[in-house]
Amino acid sequence: MNASPLRIPIRVRAALAAGSALLLAGCANGAQPAAVRDGGEASGRDRYPVTVDVDVMDDAGKTLKQTVGAEPKRVVVIGQALAELMVEFGLDDRIVGVGYLDNSYSKYADRIAKLPKISDQLPSREAVLALRPDLVLTMSFALKADKIGEIPFWNARGVDVLPAVNYTAGRDLDSYYEDVRHVGEVFGRTERTAAYTREQKSRIAAIGRRAKKATDSPEVLLVASGGRDTYDYYAPSLGLVDEMVNGVGGTYMELTDDSYAQLSLESIVAADPDKIIVTEFQKSDGEKSRDRLLRDPRLKNVTAIRNGDVMIADYTTSIRGSLALADLCEDVAEFVHPDLFPAS
């Protein structure tokens, strides 16, 4: 279905470095940059360098650092959710190439389609190099020698790397918010990214407060599909929808200790979920996948199938995380507890 995730969690912390000379110059000119003064927006050379510490070790066991010395102008983006971030925060004009897209249902689909595409899958390092990027914004699992190459490979060629923890085992909703914050810091969009995060957290917290009134906890199974005859299972450590299910008063079903496994029809029957959430990787016809489940005679006695309780979820948002986190959380709440969250 897709590449195996990087098993080493990546934590990225960005800290702005601004010298006292810049501060004095800004005051003298009556134009002290907001990012220096109070964490607000700023652009151009006033807000650089931005230093990024990455919890990834080189061959000598040293933690790697990334210092973005100037505003990134030529950015290669690997991952649908990261491309959406660039579009939402007005940075899509910096993109010289995108890869590993999910073909999701998101509202950004038309704008993503207009970006220069390298490949639907992971691009080769040669293809990325040919675009002469000054920054690679990528899902962390791609930063391996057998994929696009490790961070030192890019640094040796004068290219900075900003990894995101999307699709890294062990991350959660807060990890996605971190990704958003890091993009804001590196590209000078801190006010906008902070406002987005506050709004999302507020909406999800409100859902959680109402969900505490629930008197039962329906068991929910995530069924992922790539359009094949088989299905896939994602453990809680490899997705984000589990956190939403549990947060709205449901129980995300854990079928195996493996983070990712093929899911047979027999295992779905044995699990007998109360409700099923179906999502598709790099497919855009969720209705077809939902109907296939509902009409399969071998599943007719499964509680969720018998009651027609099957929901379609966007893959990018439910597995990797996207700007539509709160939207999906609200949909999941309505699906799991329609008594508490009636359709608007």
Side-chain angles (χ1 to χ4, degrees):
M1 179 175 171
N2 52 353
S4 298
L6 181 68
R7 296 307 180 95
I8 302 174
I10 289 184
R11 175 175 53 82
V12 183
R13 300 180 314 238
L16 296 179
S20 58
L22 274 176
L23 288 172
L24 293 173
C27 292
N29 294 327
Q32 182 178 343
V36 174
R37 184 179 66 250
D38 60 7
E41 306 284 8
S43 61
R45 64 177 180 270
D46 290 337
R47 68 176 320 276
Y48 293 92
V50 174
T51 298
V52 181
D53 294 332
V54 187
D55 283 347
V56 174
M57 303 292 182
D58 61 15
D59 292 337
K62 296 180 180 179
T63 300
L64 299 173
K65 289 181 179 288
Q66 297 293 283
T67 298
V68 180
E71 190 171 5
K73 300 291 188 181
R74 299 183 59 82
V75 184
V76 166
V77 180
I78 297 175
Q80 176 85 23
L82 298 175
E84 291 180 3
L85 282 180
M86 296 289 284
V87 169
E88 172 66 21
F89 298 117
L91 299 165
D92 42 326
D93 61 338
R94 318 283 184 90
I95 298 175
V96 295
V98 293
Y100 208 71
L101 300 177
D102 294 337
N103 297 325
S104 69
Y105 317 117
S106 82
K107 66 180 182 180
Y108 303 92
D110 290 343
R111 293 179 68 181
I112 296 292
K114 295 176 182 177
L115 296 174
K117 184 168 67 175
I118 313 171
S119 170
D120 280 329
Q121 303 299 322
L122 278 179
S124 68
R125 67 188 68 186
E126 292 78 16
V128 176
L129 280 169
L131 295 173
R132 298 180 291 107
D134 49 30
L135 179 76
V136 175
L137 173 62
T138 177
M139 296 164 61
S140 56
F141 88 95
L143 294 169
K144 300 178 72 173
D146 61 343
K147 295 184 173 64
I148 71 164
E150 298 170 309
I151 291 176
F153 171 86
W154 293 102
N155 290 171
R157 289 156 179 80
V159 181
D160 295 318
V161 177
L162 178 59
V165 296
N166 296 176
Y167 202 50
T168 301
R171 83 244 187 280
D172 55 18
L173 291 175
D174 284 337
S175 301
Y176 180 75
Y177 298 138
E178 284 280 286
D179 288 346
V180 175
R181 180 170 65 85
H182 300 149
V183 168
E185 289 171 336
V186 168
F187 290 95
R189 298 291 192 274
T190 53
E191 287 186 352
R192 292 175 62 180
T193 54
Y196 159 79
T197 300
R198 285 193 301 271
E199 186 262 350
Q200 293 286 296
K201 287 184 176 181
S202 176
R203 287 169 61 188
I204 292 175
I207 295 168
R209 288 192 294 271
R210 185 183 297 186
K212 290 181 179 179
K213 299 177 182 179
T215 57
D216 63 341
S217 184
E219 292 188 314
V220 182
L221 178 65
L222 177 71
V223 173
S225 169
R228 307 184 309 274
D229 291 333
T230 57
Y231 298 99
D232 300 289
Y233 167 78
Y234 286 79
S237 66
L238 203 56
L240 297 181
V241 73
D242 63 287
E243 201 171 340
M244 299 181 192
V245 168
N246 294 333
V248 303
T251 299
Y252 186 87
M253 300 187 75
E254 299 184 43
L255 304 186
T256 175
D257 292 333
D258 295 331
S259 59
Y260 168 80
Q262 285 202 340
L263 191 62
S264 66
L265 290 177
E266 291 76 14
S267 61
I268 298 176
V269 172
D272 191 23
D274 297 314
K275 297 172 184 282
I276 292 175
I277 295 177
V278 60
T279 189
E280 290 192 312
F281 172 69
Q282 292 196 335
K283 297 289 180 179
S284 57
D285 192 356
E287 291 288 348
K288 181 177 180 181
S289 186
R290 179 179 184 272
D291 289 346
R292 185 156 58 98
L293 280 170
L294 289 171
R295 294 175 181 175
D296 195 318
R298 295 166 293 180
L299 298 176
K300 64 181 181 180
N301 292 322
V302 173
T303 301
I305 302 299
R306 190 171 63 248
N307 295 332
D309 278 336
V310 180
M311 169 188 166
I312 302 167
D314 169 57
Y315 181 90
T316 301
T317 311
S318 57
I319 302 300
R320 310 196 197 288
S322 82
L323 289 158
L325 283 180
D327 292 340
L328 179 58
C329 193
E330 289 167 353
D331 290 343
V332 170
E334 179 188 327
F335 175 64
V336 173
H337 278 297
D339 53 327
L340 293 177
F341 301 92
S344 58

